[in-house]
Coordinates of all heavy atoms in Angstrom, one line a residue:
Chain A
K248 N 120.6 110.0 86.9 CA 119.1 110.2 87.2 C 119.0 111.6 87.7 O 119.9 112.2 88.3 CB 118.6 109.2 88.2 CG 118.6 107.8 87.6 CD 117.9 106.8 88.7 CE 118.0 105.4 88.2 NZ 117.4 104.6 89.2
Y254 N 111.3 114.8 89.2 CA 110.3 113.9 88.5 C 108.9 114.5 88.7 O 107.9 114.1 87.9 CB 110.4 112.5 89.0 CG 111.7 111.8 88.6 CD1 112.7 111.4 89.5 CD2 112.0 111.5 87.3 CE1 113.8 110.8 89.2 CE2 113.1 110.9 86.8 CZ 114.1 110.5 87.8 OH 115.2 109.9 87.5
V256 N 105.7 116.9 88.7 CA 105.2 117.9 87.7 C 105.4 119.3 88.3 O 105.4 119.5 89.5 CB 103.7 117.7 87.2 CG1 103.7 116.3 86.6 CG2 102.7 117.9 88.3
V259 N 103.2 120.9 91.0 CA 103.2 120.3 92.3 C 104.6 120.7 93.0 O 104.6 121.0 94.3 CB 103.2 118.8 92.3 CG1 103.4 118.2 93.7 CG2 101.8 118.4 91.7
R260 N 105.7 120.8 92.2 CA 106.9 121.3 92.9 C 106.7 122.7 93.5 O 107.3 123.2 94.3 CB 108.0 121.3 91.8 CG 108.5 119.9 91.4 CD 109.9 120.0 91.0 NE 110.2 120.9 89.8 CZ 110.1 120.6 88.6 NH1 109.7 119.4 88.2 NH2 110.4 121.5 87.6
Y265 N 97.8 123.0 101.8 CA 96.9 123.6 102.7 C 97.4 123.3 104.1 O 97.8 122.2 104.4 CB 95.5 123.0 102.5 CG 94.5 123.5 103.5 CD1 94.0 124.8 103.5 CD2 94.1 122.7 104.4 CE1 93.1 125.2 104.4 CE2 93.1 123.0 105.4 CZ 92.7 124.3 105.4 OH 91.8 124.8 106.3
Q270 N 96.1 120.9 115.8 CA 95.5 119.9 116.5 C 96.5 119.5 117.6 O 97.2 118.5 117.5 CB 95.2 118.7 115.6 CG 94.2 118.9 114.5 CD 92.8 119.1 114.8 OE1 92.4 118.8 116.0 NE2 92.0 119.6 113.9
E283 N 85.0 122.8 115.2 CA 84.4 121.6 115.6 C 83.2 121.9 116.4 O 83.1 122.9 117.0 CB 85.5 120.7 116.3 CG 86.5 120.2 115.4 CD 87.9 120.1 116.0 OE1 88.2 120.9 116.9 OE2 88.8 119.4 115.4
N284 N 82.3 120.9 116.6 CA 81.2 120.9 117.4 C 81.6 120.7 118.8 O 82.3 119.7 119.1 CB 80.1 119.9 117.0 CG 78.8 120.3 117.4 OD1 78.5 120.6 118.6 ND2 77.8 120.3 116.5
R293 N 77.3 106.1 117.5 CA 78.1 105.1 118.2 C 77.5 103.7 118.0 O 78.2 102.8 117.7 CB 78.3 105.4 119.7 CG 79.1 104.4 120.5 CD 79.2 104.9 121.9 NE 80.1 103.9 122.7 CZ 79.6 102.8 123.2 NH1 78.4 102.4 123.1 NH2 80.5 102.0 123.9
G301 N 80.4 94.7 114.6 CA 79.9 93.4 115.1 C 80.9 92.7 116.1 O 81.7 93.4 116.8
L307 N 84.4 94.0 108.3 CA 85.4 95.0 107.9 C 86.3 94.3 106.8 O 87.1 95.0 106.1 CB 86.3 95.4 109.0 CG 85.5 96.1 110.2 CD1 86.5 96.6 111.2 CD2 84.7 97.2 109.6
R308 N 86.2 93.0 106.6 CA 87.1 92.4 105.6 C 86.5 92.5 104.3 O 87.2 92.2 103.2 CB 87.3 90.9 106.0 CG 86.0 90.0 105.7 CD 86.3 88.6 106.0 NE 85.1 87.8 105.7 CZ 84.7 87.4 104.5 NH1 85.5 87.6 103.4 NH2 83.6 86.7 104.2
L309 N 85.3 93.0 104.2 CA 84.6 93.2 102.8 C 84.6 94.6 102.4 O 84.4 95.5 103.2 CB 83.1 92.6 102.9 CG 83.0 91.1 103.2 CD1 81.5 90.7 103.4 CD2 83.5 90.3 102.1
Y310 N 84.8 94.8 101.2 CA 84.7 96.1 100.6 C 83.4 96.8 101.0 O 82.4 96.1 101.0 CB 84.9 96.1 99.0 CG 86.4 96.0 98.7 CD1 86.9 94.8 98.4 CD2 87.2 97.1 98.7 CE1 88.3 94.6 98.0 CE2 88.6 97.0 98.3 CZ 89.1 95.8 98.0 OH 90.4 95.7 97.7
N337 N 84.6 111.6 101.3 CA 85.5 111.5 102.4 C 85.8 112.9 103.0 O 86.9 113.4 102.8 CB 86.7 110.7 101.9 CG 87.7 110.4 103.1 OD1 87.3 109.8 104.1 ND2 88.9 110.7 103.0
D340 N 85.9 118.2 101.7 CA 87.1 118.4 100.9 C 87.3 117.5 99.8 O 87.7 117.9 98.8 CB 88.3 118.3 101.8 CG 88.4 119.4 102.9 OD1 87.6 120.3 102.9 OD2 89.3 119.3 103.8
N344 N 87.4 118.7 95.9 CA 88.4 118.2 95.0 C 87.8 117.5 93.7 O 88.3 117.8 92.6 CB 89.3 117.2 95.7 CG 90.5 116.8 95.0 OD1 91.1 117.5 94.1 ND2 91.1 115.5 95.2
R348 N 88.4 118.7 89.8 CA 88.9 117.8 88.8 C 87.9 117.6 87.6 O 88.3 117.4 86.5 CB 89.1 116.4 89.4 CG 90.3 116.4 90.5 CD 91.0 115.0 90.6 NE 91.9 114.8 89.6 CZ 92.7 113.7 89.5 NH1 92.5 112.7 90.4 NH2 93.5 113.5 88.6
A349 N 86.6 117.6 87.9 CA 85.6 117.5 86.8 C 85.4 118.7 86.0 O 85.1 118.6 84.8 CB 84.3 117.0 87.5
Q374 N 95.4 121.4 90.3 CA 94.8 121.0 89.0 C 95.3 121.8 87.8 O 95.0 121.4 86.7 CB 93.2 121.1 89.2 CG 92.4 120.8 88.0 CD 92.4 119.2 87.8 OE1 93.1 118.4 88.4 NE2 91.6 118.8 86.9
N400 N 84.5 128.9 85.0 CA 83.6 127.8 84.5 C 82.9 127.2 85.9 O 81.9 126.7 85.7 CB 84.4 126.8 83.9 CG 83.6 125.7 83.4 OD1 82.8 125.8 82.5 ND2 83.9 124.4 83.8
I424 N 72.7 133.0 90.8 CA 73.0 131.6 90.2 C 72.1 131.5 88.9 O 72.6 131.0 87.9 CB 72.5 130.5 91.2 CG1 73.3 130.5 92.5 CG2 72.6 129.1 90.5 CD1 72.8 129.8 93.6
Y427 N 74.3 133.0 86.3 CA 75.7 132.6 86.3 C 75.8 131.4 85.2 O 75.1 130.4 85.3 CB 76.1 132.0 87.6 CG 77.6 131.8 87.6 CD1 78.5 132.9 87.7 CD2 78.2 130.6 87.4 CE1 79.9 132.7 87.7 CE2 79.6 130.3 87.4 CZ 80.4 131.4 87.5 OH 81.7 131.3 87.4
D428 N 76.6 131.7 84.2 CA 76.9 130.7 83.2 C 78.1 129.7 83.5 O 79.2 130.0 83.1 CB 77.2 131.4 81.8 CG 77.4 130.4 80.6 OD1 77.0 129.2 80.9 OD2 77.9 130.7 79.6
N454 N 72.3 124.3 87.5 CA 73.7 124.6 87.6 C 74.2 124.7 89.1 O 75.5 125.0 89.3 CB 74.2 125.7 86.7 CG 73.6 127.1 87.2 OD1 72.4 127.1 87.6 ND2 74.3 128.1 87.1
K463 N 80.8 119.7 111.1 CA 80.4 120.8 112.0 C 79.1 120.5 112.8 O 79.2 120.1 113.9 CB 80.3 122.1 111.2 CG 81.4 122.3 110.1 CD 82.7 122.5 110.8 CE 83.8 122.8 109.6 NZ 85.2 122.8 110.3
G466 N 78.9 117.1 114.4 CA 79.9 116.7 115.3 C 80.7 115.5 114.9 O 81.1 114.6 115.7
G469 N 85.9 114.0 113.0 CA 86.8 112.9 113.1 C 86.5 111.8 112.1 O 87.3 110.8 112.0
R471 N 85.4 112.2 108.8 CA 85.6 112.7 107.3 C 84.4 112.2 106.5 O 84.4 111.2 105.8 CB 86.8 111.9 106.7 CG 88.1 112.1 107.5 CD 88.4 113.5 108.0 NE 88.6 114.4 106.8 CZ 88.0 115.5 106.5 NH1 87.1 116.0 107.5 NH2 88.2 116.2 105.5
R487 N 82.6 110.0 88.2 CA 83.7 109.5 87.2 C 85.0 109.8 87.8 O 86.0 109.0 87.5 CB 83.5 110.2 85.9 CG 82.3 109.9 85.1 CD 82.2 110.6 83.8 NE 80.9 110.4 83.2 CZ 80.7 110.4 81.8 NH1 81.8 110.7 81.0 NH2 79.6 110.2 81.3
D490 N 87.0 108.2 93.8 CA 87.6 106.9 94.0 C 86.4 105.9 94.3 O 85.4 106.3 94.9 CB 88.5 107.0 95.3 CG 89.1 105.7 95.7 OD1 90.1 105.2 95.1 OD2 88.5 104.9 96.6
S491 N 86.7 104.6 93.7 CA 85.5 103.7 93.7 C 84.9 103.4 95.1 O 83.8 103.1 95.3 CB 86.0 102.4 93.2 OG 86.7 102.6 91.9
Y492 N 85.9 103.4 96.1 CA 85.5 103.1 97.4 C 85.8 104.2 98.3 O 86.8 104.1 99.2 CB 86.1 101.8 98.0 CG 85.7 100.6 97.1 CD1 86.7 100.0 96.3 CD2 84.5 99.9 97.3 CE1 86.3 98.8 95.6 CE2 84.2 98.8 96.7 CZ 85.1 98.2 95.8 OH 84.8 97.1 95.1
N493 N 85.4 105.4 98.1 CA 85.9 106.6 98.8 C 85.4 106.7 100.3 O 86.1 107.3 101.1 CB 85.6 108.0 98.2 CG 84.1 108.2 98.0 OD1 83.3 107.3 98.0 ND2 83.7 109.5 97.9
D495 N 84.6 104.4 103.8 CA 84.7 103.1 104.4 C 83.3 102.7 105.1 O 82.4 103.6 105.2 CB 85.9 102.9 105.4 CG 85.7 103.8 106.7 OD1 84.7 103.7 107.4 OD2 86.7 104.6 107.0
R496 N 83.2 101.5 105.5 CA 82.0 100.9 106.1 C 81.5 101.7 107.4 O 80.4 102.0 107.5 CB 82.1 99.5 106.5 CG 82.2 98.6 105.3 CD 82.4 97.2 105.6 NE 82.0 96.3 104.5 CZ 80.9 95.8 104.2 NH1 79.9 95.9 105.0 NH2 80.7 95.0 103.1
Chain B
K131 N 72.3 128.9 78.7 CA 73.4 128.1 79.3 C 73.6 126.8 78.5 O 72.8 126.4 77.8 CB 73.0 127.7 80.7 CG 72.9 129.0 81.6 CD 72.6 128.6 83.1 CE 72.4 129.8 83.9 NZ 72.1 129.4 85.3
Y137 N 79.9 121.6 80.8 CA 80.8 122.4 81.7 C 82.0 121.5 82.2 O 83.0 122.1 82.6 CB 80.0 122.9 83.0 CG 79.1 124.0 82.6 CD1 77.7 123.7 82.7 CD2 79.5 125.3 82.2 CE1 76.8 124.8 82.4 CE2 78.6 126.3 81.9 CZ 77.2 126.0 82.0 OH 76.3 127.0 81.7
V139 N 85.3 119.2 82.0 CA 86.5 119.2 81.1 C 86.4 117.9 80.2 O 85.9 116.9 80.5 CB 87.8 119.2 81.9 CG1 87.8 120.5 82.7 CG2 88.0 118.0 82.7
V142 N 87.1 114.3 81.2 CA 86.1 113.7 82.1 C 84.9 113.3 81.4 O 84.3 112.3 81.6 CB 85.9 114.6 83.3 CG1 84.8 114.1 84.2 CG2 87.1 114.9 84.1
R143 N 84.5 114.1 80.4 CA 83.3 113.8 79.6 C 83.6 112.5 78.8 O 82.7 111.7 78.6 CB 83.0 114.9 78.6 CG 82.4 116.2 79.2 CD 81.6 116.9 78.3 NE 82.2 117.3 77.0 CZ 82.9 118.4 76.8 NH1 83.1 119.3 77.8 NH2 83.4 118.6 75.6
Y148 N 86.2 103.4 86.6 CA 86.6 102.2 87.0 C 85.4 101.3 87.5 O 84.5 101.8 88.2 CB 87.7 102.2 88.0 CG 88.1 100.9 88.6 CD1 88.9 99.9 87.9 CD2 87.7 100.5 90.0 CE1 89.3 98.8 88.5 CE2 88.0 99.3 90.5 CZ 88.8 98.4 89.8 OH 89.2 97.2 90.3
Q153 N 79.5 93.6 94.3 CA 79.3 93.5 95.9 C 77.8 93.1 96.1 O 77.0 94.0 96.3 CB 79.7 94.8 96.6 CG 81.2 95.3 96.5 CD 82.1 94.4 97.2 OE1 81.6 93.6 98.1 NE2 83.4 94.5 97.0
E166 N 89.2 89.7 98.7 CA 89.1 90.0 100.1 C 89.7 88.8 100.9 O 89.7 87.6 100.4 CB 87.6 90.2 100.5 CG 87.1 91.5 99.9 CD 85.7 91.5 99.5 OE1 85.3 90.4 99.1 OE2 85.1 92.6 99.4
N167 N 90.0 89.0 102.1 CA 90.5 87.9 103.0 C 89.3 87.2 103.6 O 88.3 87.7 104.0 CB 91.3 88.6 104.1 CG 92.2 87.6 104.8 OD1 91.9 86.5 105.2 ND2 93.5 88.1 105.0
R176 N 89.1 95.5 116.3 CA 87.9 95.9 116.9 C 88.0 96.6 118.2 O 87.4 97.6 118.5 CB 87.1 94.5 117.1 CG 85.7 94.8 117.8 CD 84.9 93.5 118.0 NE 83.6 93.7 118.5 CZ 83.3 93.8 119.8 NH1 84.3 93.7 120.6 NH2 82.0 94.1 120.1
G184 N 84.8 105.3 122.1 CA 84.6 105.6 123.6 C 83.2 105.4 124.0 O 82.4 104.8 123.3
L190 N 85.0 111.6 118.2 CA 84.7 111.7 116.8 C 84.4 113.1 116.3 O 84.4 113.5 115.2 CB 83.5 110.8 116.4 CG 83.7 109.3 116.7 CD1 82.5 108.6 116.2 CD2 85.0 108.8 116.1
R191 N 84.1 114.0 117.4 CA 83.8 115.4 117.0 C 85.0 116.2 116.6 O 84.9 117.3 116.1 CB 83.0 116.1 118.1 CG 83.8 116.3 119.3 CD 83.1 117.1 120.3 NE 84.0 117.5 121.5 CZ 84.8 118.5 121.5 NH1 84.9 119.4 120.5 NH2 85.6 118.7 122.5
L192 N 86.1 115.7 116.8 CA 87.4 116.4 116.6 C 88.1 115.9 115.4 O 88.1 114.6 115.1 CB 88.4 116.2 117.8 CG 87.9 116.8 119.2 CD1 88.9 116.4 120.3 CD2 87.9 118.3 119.0
Y193 N 88.7 116.7 114.6 CA 89.4 116.3 113.4 C 90.5 115.2 113.8 O 91.1 115.3 114.9 CB 90.1 117.5 112.7 CG 89.1 118.3 111.8 CD1 88.5 119.4 112.4 CD2 88.8 117.9 110.6 CE1 87.5 120.1 111.7 CE2 87.8 118.6 109.9 CZ 87.3 119.7 110.4 OH 86.4 120.4 109.7
N220 N 93.7 106.7 102.1 CA 92.3 106.2 102.1 C 92.2 105.0 101.1 O 91.6 105.1 100.1 CB 91.4 107.3 101.8 CG 89.9 106.9 102.1 OD1 89.6 106.3 103.1 ND2 89.1 107.2 101.2
D223 N 94.3 102.8 96.6 CA 93.9 103.6 95.5 C 94.1 105.1 95.6 O 94.4 105.8 94.7 CB 92.4 103.3 95.3 CG 92.0 101.9 94.8 OD1 93.0 101.2 94.5 OD2 90.8 101.6 94.7
N227 N 96.4 107.4 93.2 CA 95.9 108.6 92.7 C 96.9 109.8 93.0 O 97.2 110.6 92.1 CB 94.5 108.9 93.3 CG 93.8 110.1 92.6 OD1 94.0 110.4 91.4 ND2 93.0 110.8 93.4
R231 N 98.9 112.2 90.4 CA 98.7 113.7 90.4 C 100.0 114.4 90.6 O 100.3 115.4 90.1 CB 97.7 114.0 91.5 CG 96.3 113.6 91.2 CD 95.4 114.5 92.0 NE 95.0 115.7 91.3 CZ 94.2 116.6 91.7 NH1 93.6 116.4 92.8 NH2 93.9 117.7 91.0
A232 N 100.9 113.7 91.3 CA 102.2 114.4 91.6 C 103.2 114.2 90.5 O 104.1 115.1 90.2 CB 102.8 113.9 92.9
Q257 N 93.8 112.3 84.7 CA 94.9 113.3 84.9 C 95.3 113.9 83.6 O 96.1 114.9 83.6 CB 96.1 112.6 85.6 CG 97.2 113.6 85.9 CD 96.9 114.6 87.0 OE1 95.8 114.7 87.5 NE2 98.0 115.3 87.5
N283 N 107.5 108.7 82.8 CA 108.1 109.4 84.0 C 107.8 108.6 85.3 O 108.6 108.7 86.3 CB 107.5 110.8 84.1 CG 108.1 111.7 85.1 OD1 109.4 111.8 85.1 ND2 107.3 112.0 86.1
I307 N 114.9 98.4 88.4 CA 114.7 99.8 89.0 C 115.9 100.6 89.0 O 115.9 101.8 88.8 CB 114.2 99.6 90.5 CG1 112.9 98.8 90.4 CG2 114.1 100.9 91.2 CD1 112.4 98.3 91.8
D311 N 114.9 105.4 84.7 CA 115.0 106.8 84.9 C 113.7 107.4 85.1 O 113.0 108.0 84.1 CB 115.7 107.5 83.7 CG 115.9 109.0 84.0 OD1 115.8 109.5 85.0 OD2 116.2 109.7 82.9
N337 N 114.4 105.9 93.7 CA 113.3 106.1 92.9 C 112.2 105.1 93.1 O 111.2 105.1 92.3 CB 113.8 106.3 91.4 CG 114.4 104.9 90.9 OD1 115.2 104.3 91.7 ND2 114.2 104.6 89.7
K346 N 93.8 93.3 101.8 CA 94.0 92.0 101.4 C 94.5 91.1 102.6 O 93.7 90.5 103.4 CB 94.9 91.8 100.2 CG 94.6 92.7 99.1 CD 93.3 92.6 98.4 CE 93.1 93.5 97.3 NZ 91.7 93.5 96.7
G349 N 92.8 91.9 106.1 CA 91.3 91.7 106.2 C 90.6 93.0 106.4 O 89.6 92.9 107.1
G352 N 87.1 96.8 104.1 CA 86.0 97.6 104.4 C 86.4 99.0 105.1 O 85.6 99.9 105.3
R354 N 89.2 100.9 104.0 CA 90.0 101.8 103.1 C 91.3 102.3 103.7 O 91.4 103.4 104.2 CB 89.1 103.0 102.7 CG 87.8 102.6 102.3 CD 87.7 101.7 101.2 NE 88.4 102.0 100.0 CZ 89.3 101.3 99.4 NH1 89.6 100.1 99.9 NH2 89.9 101.8 98.3
R370 N 101.8 116.9 99.4 CA 101.4 118.2 98.8 C 100.0 118.1 98.1 O 99.2 118.9 98.1 CB 102.4 118.8 97.8 CG 103.6 119.2 98.4 CD 104.6 119.7 97.4 NE 105.9 119.9 98.0 CZ 106.8 120.9 97.6 NH1 106.5 121.6 96.5 NH2 107.9 121.0 98.1
D373 N 94.8 115.1 100.5 CA 93.8 115.7 101.3 C 94.3 115.8 102.7 O 94.9 114.9 103.3 CB 92.5 114.9 101.2 CG 91.4 115.7 102.1 OD1 90.9 116.7 101.6 OD2 91.1 115.2 103.2
S374 N 94.1 117.0 103.3 CA 94.7 117.2 104.6 C 94.3 116.2 105.7 O 95.0 115.9 106.6 CB 94.3 118.6 105.2 OG 94.4 119.5 104.2
Y375 N 93.1 115.8 105.6 CA 92.5 114.8 106.6 C 92.0 113.6 105.8 O 90.8 113.3 105.8 CB 91.4 115.3 107.3 CG 91.7 116.6 108.3 CD1 91.3 117.9 107.9 CD2 92.4 116.4 109.4 CE1 91.6 118.9 108.7 CE2 92.7 117.5 110.2 CZ 92.3 118.8 109.8 OH 92.6 119.8 110.7
N376 N 93.0 112.9 105.1 CA 92.5 111.8 104.3 C 92.1 110.5 105.0 O 91.4 109.7 104.4 CB 93.5 111.4 103.1 CG 94.8 111.0 103.6 OD1 95.2 111.3 104.8 ND2 95.6 110.3 102.9
D378 N 90.3 108.9 108.5 CA 89.4 109.3 109.7 C 90.0 108.6 111.0 O 91.0 107.9 110.8 CB 87.9 109.0 109.5 CG 87.6 107.5 109.5 OD1 88.1 106.8 110.3 OD2 86.8 107.1 108.5
R379 N 89.5 109.0 112.0 CA 90.1 108.5 113.4 C 90.0 107.0 113.5 O 90.9 106.3 113.9 CB 89.3 109.2 114.5 CG 89.7 110.6 114.7 CD 88.9 111.2 115.8 NE 89.5 112.5 116.2 CZ 90.4 112.7 117.1 NH1 90.8 111.7 117.9 NH2 91.0 113.8 117.3

Side-chain angles (χ1 to χ4, degrees):
Chain A
K248 292 185 188 179
Y254 292 111
V256 301
V259 174
R260 290 207 305 272
Y265 173 73
Q270 298 285 349
E283 288 142 337
N284 200 311
R293 180 177 183 276
L307 303 184
R308 71 176 184 84
L309 297 172
Y310 281 96
N337 189 45
D340 292 352
N344 190 26
R348 292 203 84 179
Q374 183 70 352
N400 184 62
I424 298 164
Y427 191 77
D428 182 19
N454 61 327
K463 314 296 180 184
R471 313 306 302 128
R487 292 177 187 210
D490 181 77
S491 312
Y492 296 108
N493 61 334
D495 71 47
R496 285 178 168 268
Chain B
K131 292 187 188 179
Y137 291 111
V139 301
V142 175
R143 291 207 305 271
Y148 172 74
Q153 297 287 347
E166 288 141 335
N167 200 311
R176 180 178 183 274
L190 303 184
R191 70 176 185 83
L192 297 171
Y193 282 96
N220 189 46
D223 292 352
N227 190 27
R231 292 203 84 180
Q257 183 70 351
N283 184 61
I307 299 164
D311 182 18
N337 61 327
K346 315 296 182 187
R354 314 305 302 127
R370 292 177 189 211
D373 181 77
S374 314
Y375 296 109
N376 61 334
D378 70 47
R379 285 177 168 268

